[in-house]
Amino acid sequence: MNEYQGMRWYKCDLHLHTPEDSQHWLDRETRLGDPRRSRIDGKFDEQKIQETARKYLHRCHEVGLQVIGVTEHNFSARSEPRDWFLLHLIEQNNSVARDRGVAPLVIFPGFEVDIGYHVLCLFQPVAKQKGLEEINSVLTKLGLSENERFPAGKIAQLRHNDQKVSLKKLLEIVQREYKGIVIAAHADQKDGILSNSDHKGDYAHPGLYCVELTQERPDQKYTDILARKNTDWQREGFHPAWIMSSDAKSLAQNETGQPKANSLGYRHTWIKMSEPSIEALRQAFLDPESRIQPAGEDPAKQEKHACIVSVSVAKTAFLDKQKIVFSPNLNCIIGGRGSGKSAILEGMRLAMGKDDDPKLDARAREKVERIQNLLTKNVDSEVRLLWRNGDGVEDTLVYSVPQAGSGVCRVDGRDMQDLTAFLRDLPVQFFSQQQLNQITAQGGNVLLALLDEFAREELKPLLQKEAELRREIEQHFAVTTTLEQIEKDLQRLHQEHIELERQWEARSALQEDARQHQGLKAEQAYIQKLKNGLEDEGARLTAVVDDIYETHSPLGSIVDRWPHGDWFKEKDAQLWQAKETLKEAVGQAVATYRKTFSSVFEADPQWLEIKQHHEQADAEFSRVCAEKGIAPDDVSRIQEISQKRTGKKLELEQKTKERLRLQQVQQRLPDLFHALHENWLACFQVRQRLADEITQAARSDNKLVIELHVEYFADDVLFQKVWGKLSLDGRTKLGRNWEEIGSIVRKEYLSERAKNLSERAKSHPSLWDMLQSWMENEATTPDSIRTRLRVLQLSISEIKSHLFDSLRKTWQDTRMMRLDDVVDLVLYCDDGVNEEGRISAGTLSDGQRNTAALAMLLARGNHPLVIDQPEDELDSNFIFHQLVPMLRRLKSSRQIILATHNANLPVNGDAELVYALRAREGRGEKLAAGGLDRKDVADAVLDIMEGSAQAFQQRKEKYHF
């Protein structure tokens, strides 16, 4: 079951003929015989006419029709109701629909008559034969009895007392007396109302609500008449709507399955209705701009915007259990005070996680919290909201209360990794009247935030790029610090290398003497090593033999008990003797080995000369060192110094290469800042373009309603705050004049910025970089700045010293800081030329500011917009002449949900869904829901918003209408 009760598009063909008129019906196979119901065994056989009716109905469904008007010429030539084809269509309708699994057709019964041109007369759908008999009697009352309608087989013109029936008479009987509707048929054809200037009087009749045209793109002369451009065809008030119908006389289709000319489905019209009725048609004809689209595809399929499908509340303290299924277009929630309008909107806000809106001021926050407390008072309270995004994907958002006063959000059936991010990115905006006022508060930044919200997708990559550039610039600032440290390291390394060079050069003259002296020392060490080795090695051999000897344990009395003890004693004694012999032999050999040094060296004739050279070496080297002024002990450091000298040189080369690399990296810093400034400018251009689009979209009757202006890098409040953080001790001359310096710097920047923007300059440096360039090259400082600084007895170099040295890191951070763009909004008078006022000047009243805010909100975006009582503090003139046309123009491209007390919004805005609430026993409950073409909805609007039909009528009479 479809729970939606509001208005929707229906595919309609309100001018159909059937096999009822066999003379003009083109399909031989579906023509009705004569008699239409043959007798079999004395009973009428209706099988043929029923089968034909079913074929007709099936074809209606095949071409997608949902609503048809059956308008036979002069109703029927038959007097027996069971012979009427229309009766069988009605009787077979439900059965065919069941077979196809679709809703039954809505069939408007009626007839087509000739009053000098053809007109269609349609009546409320009927379910039984009696209803058709009453419609048949209407034609008799108009002057055509059953036996006069087809003289000699021809279609008789509608006449009464032998006079042509006027349109006025037809309207009185059909529309006023029988509550039907009259449509001028094929008005653009030769027998149509618009084809003959004699019919101008009939065209001017206010009771003619609609004409039928036969061309999807009508001839210019007919559109000029209907659009009030042809002054010869005058008419007070609204001009008739126009529709297209097939005037079908066949079920035929071509080889591709498409209807042939004047076949069923050949032409159609989309009409928006809550449910098809004569009243729904009448209202659609009164408001064709909103409710009628001749031909084409289903308009609903062209609506791809995201929307809130439905919201339901249960177990809340203030609202009865109920569910609202919204239209994707304009929705108005109405009700008296205390009926729960705001509570429903706040429940939706909670379910979508939008309850922490930073735009809420204290007054708005107080109201929101009061309503939210009511919603969360009961444990197990729940708000369920069905959300559909622009791609048609649906999610159910739930706000439930597990314990009193504490609610939680979730997405039903999904395990969300980051629920907060998901809810934050839902493209829907909630506004109360107080928030509308806050949007345009003077000195606030809500307008900028709102503009950025509209441009979120365009700005997102730019803001991401800005963050990347900031990080890269910070890294390059770190490179600058590293470079400064490297410069200090290079100075130190240069000095250390120079000292090592001097030490090495002073000792290099002794290098040959040192090498020879070291060689002699090495020879002495070698000889001593040999001597020590002979002693050590002899001692080790003696110790081994002593150990072998001493570790022998002779056999004692233990062997006396051995069976062969005496034999073992004898062998043990022999071994003991062998060890004694070994010990003596090794002792003699060691003594001989120790004498080897003397036999090897002293027996050699050169030994004495070498020995004397060794004994003189130290004395000679000491003499040479004394001549060079160097202590002999320092000579041993030559190798160490040489190694240090080589290492220091390598370290110096590596540091120099690192400095070169970082200098090359550092050279990108200006390019990075240029890219950052271009990124800021790109953000500004997105905002500026969007502001222009909003300005144009908000036009009414091609007149300006509002105008948005965006100033680049212009937030003076933020500048003052940032400049103040750069200040220094007020006891210094620079500190005392810091604020004035900021003012003159800002003034010069604004002048330069205006020049760049007017000349569309490609480069737009920030205020900070402009000051940076002055400090790096004082010659670039404007004369006006230098003159003023001289008056203050200050200079750019003092500012440079303060920012570059004392506040280095703070200044670096400041250079990356973007001053916000400033958005201003101008509200125009009704003439679209003169200004009513502007936000920046503080010349708008609260009502005017709300007017401007609404115009801006409605003029941009295709996301849902939910507003609580937008009409507060707005004058009725603006609501009717500007707000209502804006709602009507934009509701097809976005969902709008309003809680309202003003009848202009649902009635003249032609809301697709009006949901009426009433307070009963302290709780808000549903009173009615649907479009204004539902009587219960119209009655609810009258009672709630007009005070009752009687009150409305009394006011109307007092206006001298």
Side-chain angles (χ1 to χ4, degrees):
M1 175 181 165
N2 195 324
E3 298 176 284
Y4 176 62
Q5 295 178 283
M7 292 196 292
R8 74 190 78 192
W9 290 104
Y10 288 87
K11 189 174 184 179
C12 306
D13 189 343
L14 300 181
H15 186 179
L16 290 180
H17 294 286
T18 72
E20 175 71 37
D21 183 0
S22 296
Q23 183 178 349
H24 295 92
W25 186 251
L26 301 178
D27 298 345
R28 184 178 300 275
E29 64 276 13
T30 51
R31 285 180 185 167
L32 301 178
D34 193 8
R36 295 185 176 179
R37 299 172 300 137
S38 59
R39 285 179 179 271
I40 301 177
D41 297 331
K43 295 182 180 180
F44 285 106
D45 181 12
E46 297 183 343
Q47 182 177 355
K48 169 65 175 175
I49 195 170
Q50 289 175 352
E51 288 179 353
T52 304
R54 292 178 67 84
K55 286 182 181 179
Y56 194 98
L57 292 167
H58 275 291
R59 184 57 184 161
C60 287
H61 287 296
E62 286 169 4
V63 297
L65 290 174
Q66 297 161 292
V67 179
I68 62 172
V70 179
T71 52
E72 297 295 352
H73 291 285
N74 294 345
F75 191 73
S76 176
R78 306 284 172 150
S79 57
E80 171 54 50
R82 296 303 303 175
D83 283 338
W84 294 340
F85 187 75
L86 177 55
L87 177 59
H88 294 277
L89 278 181
I90 294 169
E91 290 178 345
Q92 298 299 316
N93 188 19
N94 290 340
S95 173
V96 170
R98 278 195 304 272
D99 291 347
R100 299 185 69 91
V102 296
L105 292 173
V106 175
I107 302 175
F108 287 112
F111 47 76
E112 181 177 1
V113 293
D114 182 358
I115 61 170
Y117 51 87
H118 286 209
V119 294
L120 309 175
C121 300
L122 296 173
F123 300 87
Q124 190 67 13
V126 299
K128 296 184 178 179
Q129 177 178 316
K130 185 177 179 181
L132 289 183
E133 290 175 353
E134 185 175 357
I135 293 169
N136 183 46
S137 70
V138 174
L139 193 53
T140 301
K141 187 170 184 176
L142 285 168
L144 279 179
S145 61
E146 291 179 345
N147 58 0
E148 296 177 324
R149 296 176 185 176
F150 295 92
K154 294 183 178 180
I155 302 170
Q157 189 179 51
L158 185 61
R159 302 183 71 81
H160 188 71
N161 294 331
D162 205 30
Q163 291 185 349
K164 185 178 73 171
V165 175
S166 67
L167 176 64
K168 179 181 178 181
K169 179 68 173 179
L170 185 70
L171 293 171
E172 286 176 355
I173 294 176
V174 172
Q175 291 189 174
R176 293 185 60 184
E177 185 175 348
Y178 286 92
K179 308 304 180 187
I181 198 85
V182 172
I183 302 170
H186 34 78
D188 54 348
Q189 298 299 306
K190 64 179 181 179
D191 55 352
I193 189 174
L194 300 181
S195 64
N196 190 328
S197 60
D198 292 342
H199 303 322
K200 291 178 183 177
D202 282 359
Y203 179 80
H205 196 291
L208 179 64
Y209 299 135
C210 181
V211 302
E212 176 195 42
L213 302 182
T214 60
Q215 301 297 321
E216 187 172 345
R217 294 183 178 178
D219 189 282
Q220 186 69 41
K221 86 173 192 178
Y222 302 118
T223 56
D224 284 350
I225 293 173
L226 294 167
R228 307 184 186 189
K229 295 180 180 179
N230 188 325
T231 57
D232 291 336
W233 291 72
Q234 294 296 319
R235 176 180 165 118
E236 291 293 328
F238 67 92
H239 278 231
W242 69 274
I243 63 171
M244 296 182 65
S245 305
S246 65
D247 196 6
K249 298 177 179 64
S250 169
L251 303 182
Q253 52 188 299
N254 60 24
E255 58 278 3
T256 63
Q258 298 301 311
K260 292 184 177 180
N262 283 106
S263 291
L264 196 148
Y266 181 62
R267 289 186 291 263
H268 64 272
T269 298
W270 291 95
I271 301 179
K272 187 179 286 185
M273 301 174 275
S274 296
E275 57 184 15
S277 66
I278 291 298
E279 176 59 20
L281 290 180
R282 186 184 72 85
Q283 288 199 19
F285 297 159
L286 288 172
D287 200 348
E289 180 185 354
S290 176
R291 300 205 201 179
I292 293 179
Q293 179 173 306
E297 294 297 319
D298 185 351
K301 292 183 179 179
Q302 301 169 20
E303 298 170 353
K304 301 295 186 182
H305 51 269
C307 66
I308 299 169
V309 178
S310 66
V311 65
S312 59
V313 294
K315 299 183 180 181
T316 64
F318 190 60
L319 291 166
D320 275 347
K321 181 179 180 180
Q322 53 195 297
K323 181 177 183 178
I324 307 175
V325 182
F326 292 106
S327 164
N329 309 118
L330 177 60
N331 304 264
C332 289
I333 302 175
I334 68 172
R337 186 176 297 276
S339 60
K341 303 183 301 298
S342 296
I344 287 175
L345 298 194
E346 289 307 321
M348 293 163 60
R349 191 199 294 262
L350 286 169
M352 302 195 79
K354 305 293 185 182
D355 53 309
D356 59 347
D357 193 332
K359 298 188 288 296
L360 286 170
D361 62 10
R363 181 182 169 194
R365 172 58 62 190
E366 181 182 356
K367 178 181 178 182
V368 166
E369 289 179 350
R370 175 171 52 81
I371 296 172
Q372 290 178 355
N373 288 338
L374 286 172
L375 291 168
T376 60
K377 183 178 179 180
N378 291 354
V379 176
D380 293 335
S381 295
E382 184 179 80
V383 179
R384 299 179 72 85
L385 183 146
L386 181 59
W387 167 260
R388 180 187 299 137
N389 69 18
D391 296 320
V393 179
E394 295 184 349
D395 282 299
T396 299
L397 315 179
V398 182
Y399 183 85
S400 56
V401 183
Q403 56 186 14
S406 176
V408 293
C409 289
R410 72 175 190 274
V411 180
D412 219 12
R414 290 186 61 187
D415 182 16
M416 303 296 294
Q417 296 295 316
D418 190 341
L419 178 61
T420 301
F422 173 79
L423 296 175
R424 183 186 63 239
D425 290 340
L426 291 176
V428 60
Q429 291 179 297
F430 289 83
F431 290 94
S432 65
Q433 183 273 328
Q434 293 89 344
Q435 284 175 279
L436 292 178
N437 198 279
Q438 188 70 19
I439 287 173
T440 52
Q442 187 180 9
N445 64 349
V446 181
L447 266 181
L448 177 65
L450 193 59
L451 206 62
D452 283 0
E453 178 65 22
F454 289 153
R456 182 197 302 181
E457 293 306 314
E458 288 183 86
L459 287 175
K460 185 184 292 185
L462 292 174
L463 296 177
Q464 289 174 345
K465 181 64 175 178
E466 179 179 342
E468 292 170 5
L469 287 168
R470 286 178 189 273
R471 286 194 294 269
E472 198 168 351
I473 289 172
E474 286 176 348
Q475 292 170 0
H476 280 70
F477 278 145
V479 165
T480 301
T481 303
T482 304
L483 265 173
E484 292 174 354
Q485 184 59 47
I486 286 177
E487 290 292 348
K488 293 178 182 178
D489 290 345
L490 282 171
Q491 291 177 5
R492 174 181 56 79
L493 289 170
H494 272 296
Q495 187 61 42
E496 291 174 352
H497 186 257
I498 288 171
E499 291 302 318
L500 288 170
E501 282 286 340
R502 291 182 66 232
Q503 292 177 31
W504 185 84
E505 287 175 0
R507 290 164 176 78
S508 63
L510 288 172
Q511 284 189 55
E512 185 61 34
D513 293 324
R515 278 195 297 271
Q516 185 175 3
H517 182 258
Q518 287 173 349
L520 291 171
K521 285 288 188 181
E523 289 176 355
Q524 289 177 336
Y526 175 70
I527 291 169
Q528 188 62 43
K529 179 181 177 183
L530 287 177
K531 287 181 177 181
N532 293 340
L534 288 172
E535 290 295 326
D536 290 343
E537 290 160 358
R540 286 203 303 275
L541 285 172
T542 301
V544 170
V545 172
D546 288 346
D547 184 60
I548 293 172
Y549 180 77
E550 290 173 1
T551 57
H552 183 79
S553 298
L555 292 174
S557 59
I558 190 172
V559 300
D560 292 341
R561 295 191 298 271
W562 292 0
H564 307 92
D566 293 339
W567 187 84
F568 279 102
K569 282 183 179 180
E570 181 183 351
K571 298 304 176 186
D572 182 61
Q574 291 175 358
L575 288 173
W576 176 262
Q577 182 62 46
K579 288 184 178 182
E580 282 187 338
T581 303
L582 175 64
K583 181 178 179 182
E584 292 175 1
V586 169
Q588 293 174 1
V590 167
T592 302
Y593 179 66
R594 285 174 173 167
K595 293 177 182 179
T596 303
F597 182 82
S598 298
S599 62
V600 170
F601 284 89
E602 292 178 358
D604 192 311
Q606 291 187 10
W607 168 242
L608 182 60
E609 182 181 348
I610 291 173
K611 186 177 180 181
Q612 289 176 349
H613 199 176
H614 285 173
E615 291 172 351
Q616 296 172 356
D618 287 341
E620 180 64 20
F621 187 64
S622 295
R623 183 185 64 76
V624 173
C625 287
E627 289 178 357
K628 300 292 184 180
I630 298 174
D633 292 342
D634 286 345
V635 176
S636 62
R637 295 186 58 216
I638 288 180
Q639 186 175 7
E640 178 187 347
I641 291 171
S642 178
Q643 291 173 347
K644 285 185 177 181
R645 170 174 164 268
T646 302
K648 197 65 64 177
K649 183 177 181 182
L650 179 61
E651 188 178 356
L652 192 59
E653 290 173 351
Q654 290 172 339
K655 283 288 182 183
T656 302
K657 289 179 180 178
E658 178 67 6
R659 178 179 64 179
L660 180 60
R661 185 185 70 81
L662 292 179
Q663 284 174 338
Q664 291 172 342
V665 171
Q666 191 186 38
Q667 287 175 359
R668 288 199 63 234
L669 193 58
D671 293 336
L672 289 172
F673 268 110
H674 179 75
L676 183 64
H677 301 153
E678 289 300 298
N679 187 275
W680 290 347
L681 182 63
C683 290
F684 160 73
Q685 289 169 340
V686 168
R687 296 183 181 112
Q688 188 176 50
R689 186 180 69 253
L690 180 57
D692 292 342
E693 290 174 0
I694 291 173
T695 297
Q696 294 304 315
R699 282 177 172 268
S700 179
D701 292 331
N702 207 30
K703 295 178 183 177
L704 283 172
V705 175
I706 59 170
E707 188 171 22
L708 282 172
H709 299 282
V710 186
E711 288 189 74
Y712 177 62
F713 215 75
D715 191 333
D716 189 58
V717 175
L718 182 56
F719 168 75
Q720 297 295 344
K721 183 178 179 180
V722 174
W723 188 255
K725 288 184 178 180
L726 294 171
S727 183
L728 70 168
D729 192 339
R731 290 173 295 183
T732 66
K733 187 187 298 183
L734 186 60
R736 290 194 301 272
N737 293 284
W738 190 251
E739 185 176 343
E740 182 178 353
I741 293 170
S743 296
I744 59 178
V745 168
R746 174 103 171 118
K747 182 179 179 181
E748 182 62 32
Y749 169 73
L750 291 176
S751 174
E752 186 66 22
R753 187 196 67 189
K755 177 182 176 183
N756 285 342
L757 289 175
S758 64
E759 295 178 356
R760 299 185 180 277
K762 293 183 179 179
S763 177
H764 295 271
S766 73
L767 181 151
W768 319 120
D769 266 42
M770 185 180 72
L771 181 56
Q772 174 84 12
S773 67
W774 294 350
M775 291 186 291
E776 290 176 346
N777 184 2
E778 193 167 345
T780 63
T781 308
D783 291 339
S784 59
I785 301 292
R786 282 190 283 187
T787 301
R788 187 56 190 159
L789 287 176
R790 280 198 298 270
V791 171
L792 298 173
Q793 297 182 334
L794 293 167
S795 66
I796 282 289
S797 60
E798 290 178 81
I799 300 173
K800 176 181 179 180
S801 176
H802 169 60
L803 296 179
F804 280 23
D805 298 333
S806 304
L807 292 178
R808 178 178 188 145
K809 180 64 171 65
T810 304
W811 174 243
Q812 287 177 346
D813 292 342
T814 300
R815 288 185 65 193
M816 294 186 289
M817 181 176 293
R818 170 165 55 94
L819 295 184
D820 287 336
D821 299 336
V822 170
V823 183
D824 195 11
L825 192 151
V826 180
L827 180 67
Y828 281 87
C829 300
D830 289 343
D831 60 12
V833 177
N834 296 304
E835 290 187 12
E836 195 79 61
R838 58 177 62 210
I839 291 172
S840 61
T843 53
L844 293 175
S845 67
D846 284 352
Q848 289 171 325
R849 285 166 47 206
N850 285 3
T851 296
L854 272 172
M856 178 180 175
L857 286 173
L858 290 167
R860 179 64 185 182
N862 64 350
H863 55 272
L865 188 60
V866 184
I867 308 179
D868 191 0
Q869 297 175 213
E871 71 275 6
D872 285 7
E873 301 190 42
L874 300 181
D875 62 78
S876 297
N877 183 61
F878 169 79
I879 291 173
F880 181 77
H881 289 288
Q882 294 183 335
L883 179 55
V884 165
M886 215 178 306
L887 289 172
R888 292 172 62 88
R889 185 170 69 250
L890 300 171
K891 66 178 183 171
S892 63
S893 59
R894 73 186 308 179
Q895 185 183 51
I896 303 169
I897 301 174
L898 308 176
T900 180
H901 292 287
N902 192 298
N904 273 302
L905 301 185
V907 178
N908 294 316
D910 197 37
E912 277 71 14
L913 175 73
V914 177
Y915 192 86
L917 292 158
R918 66 179 175 186
R920 186 176 182 182
E921 298 178 356
R923 293 166 67 83
E925 67 175 15
K926 173 186 172 182
L927 176 62
L932 286 165
D933 50 8
R934 291 181 185 269
K935 188 177 186 307
D936 60 340
V937 173
D939 289 345
V941 172
L942 268 174
D943 290 341
I944 294 170
M945 313 190 90
E946 304 288 0
S948 75
Q950 182 182 0
F952 177 75
Q953 187 62 35
Q954 287 178 358
R955 286 200 303 276
K956 175 182 175 184
E957 290 170 356
K958 289 185 178 182
Y959 286 129
H960 303 280
F961 289 160

